[in-house]
Amino acid sequence: MSAAADEDSLRRALAQKQSSIDVQGGAVRQLKSSGASKPDVEAAVKALNALKLEKTSIESQLQAALAGGSSSCNRDAFRQAVVNTLERRLFFIPSFKIYRGVAGLYDYGPPGCSVKSNVLAFWRQHFVLEENMLEVDCPCVTPEVVLKASGHVEKFTDLMVKDEKTGTCYRADHLLKDYCKEKLEKDFSLSAEKAAEMKHILAVLDDLSAEQLGAKIKEYGITAPDTKNPLSDPYPFNLMFQTSIGPSGVSPGYMRPETAQGIFVNFKDLYYYNGNKLPFAAAQIGQAFRNEISPRQGLLRVREFTLAEIEHFVDPQNKSHPKFSDVAKLEFLMFPRDEQVSGQSAKKLQLGEAVSRGTVNNETLGYFIGRVYLFLTRLGIDKDRLRFRQHLANEMAHYAADCWDAEIESSYGWIECVGIADRSAYDLCAHSEKSSVALVASEKFSEPREVEKLAITPIKKELGLAFKGNQKMVTEALEAMEEKVAMEMKADLESKGEVEFHVCTLGKNVTIKKNMVYISKEIKKEHQRVFTPSVIEPSFGIGRIIYCLYEHSFYTRPSKAGDEQLNVFRFQPLVAPIKCTVFPLVQNQQYEEVAKLISKSFTVAGISHKIDITGTSIGKRYARTDELGVPFAITVDSTSSVTVRERDSKDQVRVDVEKVSSVVREVTDGVISWADVLKMYPLHSSGTAEE
Amino acid sequence: MSAAADEDSLRRALAQKQSSIDVQGGAVRQLKSSGASKPDVEAAVKALNALKLEKTSIESQLQAALAGGSSSCNRDAFRQAVVNTLERRLFFIPSFKIYRGVAGLYDYGPPGCSVKSNVLAFWRQHFVLEENMLEVDCPCVTPEVVLKASGHVEKFTDLMVKDEKTGTCYRADHLLKDYCKEKLEKDFSLSAEKAAEMKHILAVLDDLSAEQLGAKIKEYGITAPDTKNPLSDPYPFNLMFQTSIGPSGVSPGYMRPETAQGIFVNFKDLYYYNGNKLPFAAAQIGQAFRNEISPRQGLLRVREFTLAEIEHFVDPQNKSHPKFSDVAKLEFLMFPRDEQVSGQSAKKLQLGEAVSRGTVNNETLGYFIGRVYLFLTRLGIDKDRLRFRQHLANEMAHYAADCWDAEIESSYGWIECVGIADRSAYDLCAHSEKSSVALVASEKFSEPREVEKLAITPIKKELGLAFKGNQKMVTEALEAMEEKVAMEMKADLESKGEVEFHVCTLGKNVTIKKNMVYISKEIKKEHQRVFTPSVIEPSFGIGRIIYCLYEHSFYTRPSKAGDEQLNVFRFQPLVAPIKCTVFPLVQNQQYEEVAKLISKSFTVAGISHKIDITGTSIGKRYARTDELGVPFAITVDSTSSVTVRERDSKDQVRVDVEKVSSVVREVTDGVISWADVLKMYPLHSSGTAEE
């Protein structure tokens, strides 16, 4: 029996038990008031108490069922441990903390900043360099016209309600969600029907209109959480930070909500730069902004964040990918639409099969799904807590051909970290239309092809006689007719001899006669095909990936003395903010000299490291570096050779001073593994004595 | 004779010649009207024509003198050639071009983006890693309170005038500057006195107040350039992009005008992270914004730009630097205050001497000047067109101890690209005061020290009797007195017995009597010294540095046939957007296989490269890559060995296919030089045959 069915039957049992209690309670009262015998009353009370005991038992079962497999209490405690460590070690800092901060804005402190730049460097290596992408760097300040074309001015909104007395703003869906969750989790008197209704609301929350949300808020009597005041009806609030460009105040602008638009508007130049050849991809890393109504979920939902976006432009008639075979054999958790709808869970699929069966729309989309999988797992994301979830049909924009999110499981649940969408020709068409610049590609035919083509030939002499100075506008309007309109005109002219025709540029109708225009379909030879490319867009929320990476990398282990739990981040060397620490075993000039020498060689090699000559105990120093996720530590305990310790295994080897920096370099660069190091160098015998 | 003196005497000569012409012209007219003899009239006309000829000759001399050594016409043509190449090859793209762009916003296209990320990577290596700086990454969106504390809300303004009819805005100083320059360059009838006045205006332009600017604009009758309409009086316009944080509209925010504030507000945490030790430096790379009134100077004055800033925190009593000796021997162009005031030019100084003589205020400031010099010249900035100019006394903020700008000479003149300022304790004090969080450091004494300390002891009983409910405010005001005020009060109380005292929090004066407060100086033992650190701030305008680098790297050379000039960027491998191109000599499957193999090995090594199998002539392909500044090109002309060509010398060597990628890698990484390569491998005999 599924957890949901379990919960349902428990709620029904609870309601039944409550009505039995009510009945029995009535019986007791009646017996008492009718002066029944003491044994009779006692028996009835005993029965009532038994019923109440049974109810309590069902309530505990329901509570257990609601908590599910993973207790939310444990998840919260784990998250708190991670976040405390991150904040204490300055991986992040609430921005403008001394001024009591701003919700949804965070700084990356030194180790966080380093992790971020490592992740971005690997992203560049893994995507931009590997695929020869064209990277661009566009401004954050964006004029309104661009974001009108993209639809953001109209549609990039959340529904908001206001406390009618204080004016405090809330996200309407959040209030409804909180209300339903609270009811479901804590109100045991909730009927099974009501519980089902609320679960349905939670499932379709994203799809509710302002009216539907407002109606439910009214129906449930939801009030402002802080004041219990009544709430306004929900209304849309645009999430873009607005500003004004230049001093005049007449040029509205926004801080970009995504980096993609900067690439779309440059399509023509980029296509030319690529030698007028498809497919090609452009990429951009940069800040994006989202003026959240009331940011929650800490580092996951913020008002300013780094996006890394790829726009891969491809011929809509050929979405195969030459390197698809490189990833076709990969197997990982996928969660196709059908499985979601039928209530199944994500399952392991082979990417090649997913594409050949049509689960994934095309090879290029599949290729990027595979590359994203490799990117995330190489960073250190746990592959068993990573799934690719396909968008449901109603979840996708109408123009999208297919869309998959890379979701990573965290203490907040499954979090969308990368979106991989086939957006068809939507964006380029929108900007072509608004800017009147054709954002198209062309394919030259090796041999000319015959195609049936509409031919509209205005007879200028007749048009000139009829329309004088307006002739040019009428001519242009005739030539611009779409095929359907033109063929209707042809038919009308043949049957009636004349037809009314609306000329936009004149703002009125004119009468077109049969002798004024010649319309036909002709067979023409074409030398090329002109079309709007499709775009496949992998879009990475860098901050979210990094936060999930923190959770997946964090663990605790007892100290040597066993008296406390020590925190460790098991960062890959690729990601680790600092690759190696160097410290002298004791404060001693000779050892410090050696430590400085090693430090200098790391600086030259561009390896980030830290030298620690504070003289605290080695054990404490190890604990400090483990908490920063430093993979290797060098202890200088002689002038000829030193001890190198690996973070997770705590294994230690002895390496000559002259060799140590190149060994650490090779193992952090991934040229050799730690296992190789263990084979090549003797284990340090005194082992973990110092810890 | 200096150019200025020359110009002055020419203007005087011109005015003299004009009056001679006027006199002689009058004489001719009088002779004619009085019916003088033909020979007399002819002689007078001849004399007049001779005078006019002499005037023309003086005019050309003046024109030449104004053009100075470097003709502005040449500079403009050079700049146009550079900018055309940059734009055609997509080093940059005017942002939102298909919508006719936005003044002052530019995209970095693929090669520009690559140059930028190379420059930033080198910056991180040269500064952050080398000095173990604490890098942070703060948001662009900044709440008002932070920028009020920093002074930006009040003072980050330019003076603006409006066209009184159309409302178009102009920078007041730009209009006055343009007017004076135009007059000086083109109006030969300008008197020497007027010319001197306008030169003085140009020199002090930055210091003029709104009233002074307005008066000059009125005096010269300057009107709106586009319409000739009258202009408003100048008024300040704040250059920050304003926005609103959150949905309520009551939390104003700005896009940060610099990255530094994010570091200052985090001082306390960063100091702790550094083990509560000074000195240390924090660094940040990020976007900054400046809503220019009317952006000019193309890529140099933009509305959004990347800054890289360092805040080095140091004990104000000890600004020595342990690594100063590493840079003390450097010699380069410096332009101290005295040389500027006395009209001399920049001269070569040894940094060590400049510091020891006090020309540069302290070692730490000097150390950063040296490091900036190394950074810029290693990037490829021409050392003879780089100077360090000290701020004049009136140019610096009142709190600054010393300030030097790294200026690079470009076609626009000398451009400020890096500012290196000793800002004393100003910023930390401002945020301490506004946030009430003490941003201070402390130095523990090895032995306690005796210090004379002001002690103010309010007598609460007496104050309570006298001031009742106001007692607390009076007490706090007394305790907050500065030493000077307190000692004056002590003297007054002793001589007069009472004194008037202003209490801010009450907004009025109260009478303090002798028995209400005890003021003394006491000897106390102190165990530590608590102080606000000084900050030394090197601040890099990355976009400006890159633009100057483009100009310094650009040259042209004739094509092989001599029929055209080809463009070349002589980028260092460190900076070059693409390190190497690979192309098969002819279209041929075997050669293409080899080319792809080499390409693959570059990808693995993380070396950006381009493979070109278009089959156009080798000469054309070289020209194309030279224009992108690609340092090396590999031509696959056999399956066993290939030709490697260096861009500037056009030297070619033959290298085995297996070795080629490691050779190119070593020479681009700077492990070996091209001269080394020439010694190690045979010159390609058929040489430049293909070009």
Side-chain angles (χ1 to χ4, degrees), chain B residues 131-202:
Chain B
E131 315 286 348
N132 255 303
M133 291 175 181
L134 307 182
E135 191 177 346
V136 300
D137 184 1
C138 309
C140 300
V141 174
T142 306
E144 188 173 53
V145 63
V146 174
L147 296 161
K148 269 195 170 158
S150 69
H152 286 90
V153 171
E154 200 191 333
K155 290 184 189 155
F156 194 63
T157 56
D158 273 345
L159 291 166
M160 178 161 91
V161 288
K162 259 192 183 167
D163 181 320
E164 286 195 338
K165 290 192 180 148
T166 65
T168 307
C169 303
Y170 303 93
R171 255 180 76 168
D173 59 341
H174 279 177
L175 294 191
L176 184 57
K177 185 179 175 183
D178 291 349
Y179 177 86
C180 292
K181 276 194 143 178
E182 168 110 13
K183 274 284 180 189
L184 284 167
E185 277 172 20
K186 299 193 181 151
D187 184 356
F188 298 148
S189 70
L190 201 65
S191 73
E193 289 70 26
K194 211 70 192 162
E197 177 187 314
M198 289 187 172
K199 278 185 188 169
H200 177 70
I201 288 174
L202 290 176

Side-chain angles (χ1 to χ4, degrees), chain A residues 163-292:
Chain A
D163 182 320
E164 286 196 339
K165 289 191 182 149
T166 65
T168 307
C169 303
Y170 302 95
R171 255 181 76 167
D173 58 343
H174 281 176
L175 294 191
L176 185 57
K177 184 179 176 185
D178 291 349
Y179 178 85
C180 292
K181 277 193 142 178
E182 169 111 10
K183 275 284 182 194
L184 285 167
E185 277 171 22
K186 299 191 181 153
D187 185 354
F188 299 146
S189 69
L190 203 65
S191 73
E193 289 71 26
K194 214 67 195 163
E197 178 186 313
M198 289 188 173
K199 280 185 186 167
H200 177 71
I201 287 173
L202 289 177
V204 299
L205 201 62
D206 289 348
D207 290 336
L208 295 186
S209 68
E211 290 68 31
Q212 290 169 318
L213 270 173
K216 280 293 161 198
I217 286 173
K218 280 232 162 53
E219 183 188 334
Y220 294 155
I222 300 174
T223 53
D226 304 322
T227 61
K228 306 297 165 206
N229 289 332
L231 294 166
S232 73
D233 285 336
Y235 61 97
F237 170 73
N238 194 298
L239 297 175
M240 291 191 291
F241 283 98
Q242 193 174 0
T243 191
S244 182
I245 304 174
S248 67
V250 299
S251 306
Y254 299 92
M255 302 313 297
R256 63 181 177 194
E258 58 176 31
T259 69
Q261 302 306 323
I263 296 178
F264 296 137
V265 299
N266 281 327
F267 172 77
K268 212 178 146 186
D269 278 341
L270 294 170
Y271 179 58
Y272 169 78
Y273 188 83
N274 200 51
N276 292 331
K277 280 205 187 69
L278 283 188
F280 74 91
Q284 182 166 198
I285 297 173
Q287 294 302 91
F289 303 82
R290 206 182 148 107
N291 195 11
E292 293 289 347

Side-chain angles (χ1 to χ4, degrees), chain A residues 97 116 137 242-243 246 291, chain B residues 116 137 242-243 246 269 291:
Chain A
K97 195 168 130 183
K116 182 180 169 188
D137 184 0
Q242 193 174 0
T243 191
N291 195 11
Chain B
K116 182 180 170 188
D137 184 1
Q242 193 173 0
T243 190
D269 279 341
N291 195 11

Side-chain angles (χ1 to χ4, degrees), chain A residues 96 107 113 116 120 124 135-142 254-256 259 284-289 304-307, chain B residues 95-96 104-108 112-113 116-117 120 123-124 135-142 147 152 156 239-241 254-263 283-291 299 302-309 539-544 546:
Chain A
F96 318 112
D107 299 342
C113 195
K116 182 180 169 188
L120 290 177
R124 276 209 174 91
E135 191 178 345
V136 299
D137 184 0
C138 308
C140 301
V141 175
T142 305
Y254 299 92
M255 302 313 297
R256 63 181 177 194
T259 69
Q284 182 166 198
I285 297 173
Q287 294 302 91
F289 303 82
E304 180 175 340
F305 45 94
T306 301
L307 282 182
Chain B
S95 301
F96 318 112
L105 293 180
Y106 295 92
D107 300 341
Y108 288 82
C113 195
K116 182 180 170 188
S117 86
L120 290 177
W123 192 87
R124 275 209 175 90
E135 191 177 346
V136 300
D137 184 1
C138 309
C140 300
V141 174
T142 306
L147 296 161
H152 286 90
F156 194 63
L239 297 175
M240 290 192 292
F241 283 99
Y254 299 90
M255 304 312 298
R256 62 180 175 194
E258 59 177 28
T259 69
Q261 302 307 323
I263 296 178
Q284 181 166 200
I285 296 173
Q287 294 302 90
F289 303 82
R290 207 182 148 106
N291 195 11
L299 294 162
V302 293
R303 285 178 163 148
E304 182 176 339
F305 45 94
T306 301
L307 282 183
E309 297 192 294
S539 170
F540 299 71
I542 297 298
R544 289 184 168 197
I546 290 174

